[in-house]
Amino acid sequence: MVRSLREFVADRLDEHMDKNHLHCENQYGYKRCHSTETLLLKIANDLFLACDKLIPTLLMLLDLSAAFDTVDQEKMLSILKNRFGIRGIALEWFRSFLIGRSQRVMINESFSESESVDYGVPQGSILGPKLFNMYAQSFASTMGTNIKVSVEGYADDHQIQKRFNIIFQFQFLSNGITDIFNVAELWMLEYFLKINSTKTLIMIVAPPSTQERIHIKGTFVGNHCIRFVTEAKNLGVILDSIMCFNSQVRKVIKGCYASLRKLARIKRYLSRDELLLLTCSLVFSQMDYCNSLYYRLHSDTLHMMQVVQNSAARLVAKVNRFDGISTETLLKQLHWLKVKERIEYKIITIVFKCLHGLAPVALSSTIEKSKSDRTYKLNVPCFQSRYGERSFSVAGPRLWNDLPLHIRTTSNFVNFKKVLKTHLFKKCYNLYESSK
């Protein structure tokens, strides 16, 4: 395979960042071992732990207006030189890559006059998102230093978290939010970016008992009145103010059934293997996306997702519920883990990555090895409620410690996934008891 020059430069840039520890731990976009799921899992873990202590958390989802298109190119080059140590021929290459671009529009095979592009980084290039990450890297440190908030980002999507004392809710939810916006806008002004305050969402996350004591439902930022929301879509997942994920699960179920109905119309024209491939691609891709957040959800909520999987199994097998074949038999024949075990599988694999340096540092720091190296077990933090039980820092170590020793000591990730799936499959269908 012939690699393009931009791919080669992107790899060399990653090597330079890794070797000199220049990556921002709070940025999860377009980096090795980082994903939207690891970002959402870290955010959810922090929110669960705060809810476990009955502490409300302000969650602010910033919306930037045309972020990639407003990057100042000269400032970008200055950041590459002074902050990341890229100089000489390498810096001149980036200068030629960024500066001197032009664009024009074609209508009915006629072109408009060319206009120079003096701002922005190319979004269609593999280098564009990486350069934007480097451009906006100082945002998290600036916010953390000046206003003491936690900031996580995925490219131009930034989430700000700040715990507060409910006794001082009026002072914090009025003046405190304004201060956060002021510091953020000062940074944005310096870097030629702009926050769209009308699309920025603010949510107060807390248990229902704490929510009842919060009386402020909105605040003024400049001339705009921002009402606090009870639900917000973040990186494809609907977060809600009490972390029950009911709306997210309903959205997933709706999307899965829509895909199943489409497949049902054409199943007579497809072989079993083709139907299986399409079902896994169209249905399970939705069910498994960020399913690590669903650990220990209400049993009724998980049952609704299990019903979807049962329908998918009947579709692949081309049987209906009146044929007298149990869905558990079909699931076992297809070698599918049930919904509960699929969630556990995802969490355990993320724990493995955390232990072997294949996960974000911020997420890996939430779990801790026990003092005994012989057992390969993890410390399970104390928790007070179901919220703490659902956090990754508690759920991950508990699930890991329940594994047999020969699985915990497996070092190869591919082999680990195989033995883990076999173990969960036997546990899921009680095959350990039957083998005895």
Side-chain angles (χ1 to χ4, degrees), residues 40-57 161-164 205-207 210 242-243 245 362-363 365-368 379-398:
L40 289 170
L41 190 59
K42 174 60 170 61
I43 293 174
N45 180 74
D46 294 341
L47 294 175
F48 280 136
L49 294 179
C51 290
D52 185 59
K53 299 176 183 178
L54 301 180
I55 300 176
T57 304
Q161 291 185 64
K162 176 69 174 180
R163 297 182 183 182
F164 63 94
V205 179
T210 306
I242 59 174
M243 300 296 286
F245 290 103
L363 188 63
S365 63
T366 61
I367 60 177
E368 179 183 358
N379 289 331
V380 180
C382 297
F383 58 93
Q384 304 174 7
S385 66
R386 192 175 181 85
Y387 282 104
E389 186 182 28
R390 292 171 58 194
S391 66
F392 175 74
S393 58
V394 173
R398 292 180 71 180

Side-chain angles (χ1 to χ4, degrees), residues 264-303:
R265 297 190 187 103
I266 60 173
K267 67 178 181 179
R268 70 185 71 176
Y269 308 109
L270 302 173
S271 66
R272 180 188 175 97
D273 291 340
E274 292 171 338
L275 202 52
L276 176 62
L277 178 61
L278 288 172
T279 301
C280 292
S281 301
L282 300 177
V283 178
F284 287 164
S285 61
Q286 299 182 66
M287 293 183 63
D288 292 342
Y289 177 66
C290 294
N291 63 340
S292 57
L293 304 176
Y294 305 155
Y295 181 72
R296 288 297 177 95
L297 283 184
H298 195 276
S299 58
D300 292 341
T301 304
L302 289 180
H303 176 70

Side-chain angles (χ1 to χ4, degrees), residues 22-75:
L22 298 173
H23 284 296
C24 177
E25 295 181 3
N26 304 88
Q27 177 59 248
Y28 289 70
Y30 307 99
K31 292 167 59 177
R32 293 191 186 105
C33 304
H34 292 66
S35 65
T36 55
E37 181 157 12
T38 55
L39 171 56
L40 289 170
L41 190 59
K42 174 60 170 61
I43 293 174
N45 180 74
D46 294 341
L47 294 175
F48 280 136
L49 294 179
C51 290
D52 185 59
K53 299 176 183 178
L54 301 180
I55 300 176
T57 304
L58 171 76
L59 179 62
M60 185 182 299
L61 306 179
L62 297 182
D63 182 86
L64 303 185
S65 300
F68 281 72
D69 297 329
T70 58
V71 170
D72 184 84
Q73 296 172 350
E74 289 294 342
K75 194 172 187 65

Side-chain angles (χ1 to χ4, degrees), residues 1-4 7:
M1 181 184 295
V2 179
R3 303 179 65 212
S4 67
E7 292 175 330

